[in-house]
């Protein structure tokens, strides 16, 4: 039995989705010109589909699981379960207006015409704030709508904001923060749930590795306890004696979020020869 996963055929999530599976040790053949392929070393079938169609395929059990943007999950409102946030494909669904407009808050949108590819999310956003507006659903090139007189504002996905800038727009409010997520069918058979758990174990190990660094350093023994106190590690740092008397080698793992602050404190505490090594997999 194989677990069927749907990923984006092309677009901003495709490359990272394939890379995640490969980082999990799963052999994925090139699917750019295929709709389906299979892994040789893991019980997985991979379907390459349009991003917007993936929630429907998962709800209908054509695919058991899928990798898709949270924005699509919220917009399509299909009966699926979000299993895991994957940490890539991060973006914002934002309100943008002409650069010369004075945006005073969400009340600015009252009675305005708003162009978007996400009418469901936008309607919920406006309703929750007591704002009534005219929503124009557009499937693509939303950013040109104000320039051609179709809309007063837009709600669209934003990563860097460069596309908005080139079209004379500015980002003024955030409707939703999104990233790639793993979703599953709500009625998976126990055998497929077991395969999914194995896949999740690998995914979580890869995610932990990306968020942590392996650190090796040399510490004077008279300041060893102070240095160890700065290194949380997975349980506690590993300490090994060096050939040079009075010194020890200390090995530990640091979170990416706290890395630079702790490195500076380690130097101030007398640590030398600090090496930082990326972690490929991290099993805890």
């Amino acid at each position: 039995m194989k677990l069927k996963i749907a990923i984006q055929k092309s677009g901003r999530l495709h490359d990272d989705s394939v890379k995640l599976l490969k980082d999990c040790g799963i052999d994925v053949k090139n699917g750019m010109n295929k709709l389906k392929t299979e892994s040789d070393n893991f019980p997985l079938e991979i379907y390459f589909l349009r991003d917007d169609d993936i929630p429907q395929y998962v709800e209908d059990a054509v695919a058991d699981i899928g990798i898709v943007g949270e924005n699509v999950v919220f917009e399509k409102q299909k009966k699926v379960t979000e299993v895991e946030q994957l940490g890539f494909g991060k973006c914002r669904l934002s309100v943008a207006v002409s650069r010369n407009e004075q945006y005073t808050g969400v009340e600015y949108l009252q009675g305005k015409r708003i162009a978007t590819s996400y009418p469901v999310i936008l309607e919920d956003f406006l309703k929750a704030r007591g704002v009534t507006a005219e929503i124009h659903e557009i499937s693509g090139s939303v950013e040109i709508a104000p320039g051609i007189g179709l809309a007063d504002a837009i709600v669209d996905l934003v990563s860097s904001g460069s596309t908005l800038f080139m079209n004379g727009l500015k980002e003024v409010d955030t409707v939703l923060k999104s990233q790639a997520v793993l979703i599953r069918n709500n009625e998976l058979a126990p055998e497929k749930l077991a395969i999914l758990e194995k896949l999740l174990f690998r995914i979580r190990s890869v995610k932990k590795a990306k968020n942590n660094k392996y650190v090796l350093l040399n510490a004077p023994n008279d300041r060893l306890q102070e240095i160890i106190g700065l290194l949380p590690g997975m349980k506690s740092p590993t300490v090994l004696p060096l050939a040079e008397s009075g010194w020890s080698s200390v090995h530990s793992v640091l979170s990416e979020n706290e890395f630079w602050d702790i490195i500076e404190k380690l130097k101030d505490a007398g640590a030398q020869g600090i090496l930082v090594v990326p972690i490929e997999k991290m099993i805890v």
Side-chain angles (χ1 to χ4, degrees):
M1 177 177 288
K2 289 182 178 288
L3 191 69
K4 298 175 290 185
I5 183 172
I7 68 173
Q8 198 176 43
K9 179 173 175 59
S10 60
R12 65 187 187 91
L13 299 184
H14 171 83
D15 290 346
D16 284 335
S17 298
V18 172
K19 183 178 185 301
L20 175 62
L21 294 177
K22 290 183 176 179
D23 287 345
C24 289
I26 298 171
D27 178 37
V28 180
K29 299 180 178 65
N30 182 13
M32 289 301 292
N33 298 313
K34 298 179 180 180
L35 293 178
K36 174 185 171 183
T37 188
E38 295 186 7
S39 171
D40 294 330
N41 62 353
F42 192 85
L44 199 67
E45 288 183 1
I46 303 104
Y47 295 166
F48 299 92
L49 305 171
R50 287 183 65 252
D51 193 46
D52 289 351
D53 294 335
I54 291 175
Q56 182 70 66
Y57 278 101
V58 173
E59 180 186 65
D60 292 342
V62 174
D64 300 310
I65 61 175
I67 295 177
V68 67
E70 272 183 307
N71 54 295
V72 176
V73 177
F74 293 142
E75 179 66 26
K76 297 302 180 182
Q77 296 189 328
K78 300 302 178 182
K79 295 176 182 177
V80 298
T81 298
E82 183 177 313
V83 180
E84 185 82 9
Q85 293 185 323
L86 300 176
F88 62 83
K90 291 184 178 181
C91 61
R92 309 174 296 282
L93 188 63
S94 295
V95 179
V97 299
S98 175
R99 281 207 300 270
N100 56 18
E101 286 289 321
Q102 293 296 317
Y103 185 79
T104 55
V106 70
E107 62 274 9
Y108 167 92
L109 300 172
Q110 179 69 37
K112 296 289 197 299
R113 299 167 300 160
I114 310 173
T116 186
S117 299
Y118 300 92
V120 173
I121 296 174
L122 175 56
E123 185 175 356
D124 289 344
F125 174 80
L126 295 175
K127 186 181 295 183
R129 290 155 182 80
V131 173
T132 302
E134 185 180 329
I135 299 174
H136 291 261
E137 184 177 358
I138 300 177
S139 60
S141 301
V142 176
E143 64 277 355
I144 69 169
I148 61 176
L150 179 63
D152 305 301
I154 70 167
V155 170
D156 201 14
L157 290 182
V158 179
S159 293
S160 66
S162 59
T163 302
L164 294 180
F165 181 81
M166 288 187 295
N167 285 276
L169 303 175
K170 61 182 178 180
E171 184 180 1
V172 293
D173 216 336
T174 300
V175 175
L176 173 75
K177 291 184 178 180
S178 177
Q179 63 177 291
V181 295
L182 185 70
I183 59 174
R184 73 166 179 87
N185 178 270
N186 289 340
E187 299 180 0
L188 279 187
E191 297 84 356
K192 291 194 173 184
L193 281 172
I195 299 172
L196 175 58
E197 283 303 314
K198 291 181 180 180
L199 177 61
L200 283 171
F201 176 78
R202 297 190 185 196
I203 288 173
R204 289 164 182 163
S205 297
V206 170
K207 284 174 60 183
K208 283 184 178 294
K210 288 181 179 177
N211 292 330
N212 290 275
K213 302 292 183 184
Y214 191 72
V215 179
L216 305 87
L217 58 88
N218 296 329
N221 288 345
D222 59 354
R223 304 194 69 178
L224 187 56
Q225 292 306 311
E226 179 184 355
I227 289 172
I228 288 174
L230 296 170
L231 292 167
M234 288 183 285
K235 288 191 180 296
S236 64
T238 300
V239 180
L240 301 170
L242 291 180
E244 183 177 345
S245 178
W247 286 81
S248 296
S249 174
V250 181
H251 300 211
S252 189
V253 174
L254 286 181
S255 165
E256 187 78 41
N257 295 331
E258 58 187 5
F259 173 78
W260 287 110
D261 287 341
I262 292 181
I263 289 296
E264 291 174 2
K265 292 176 182 177
L266 289 171
K267 289 184 65 178
D268 292 341
Q272 297 181 10
I274 302 173
L275 298 179
V276 182
V277 182
I279 303 171
E280 184 176 332
K281 306 287 188 301
M282 186 169 168
I283 314 299
V284 295

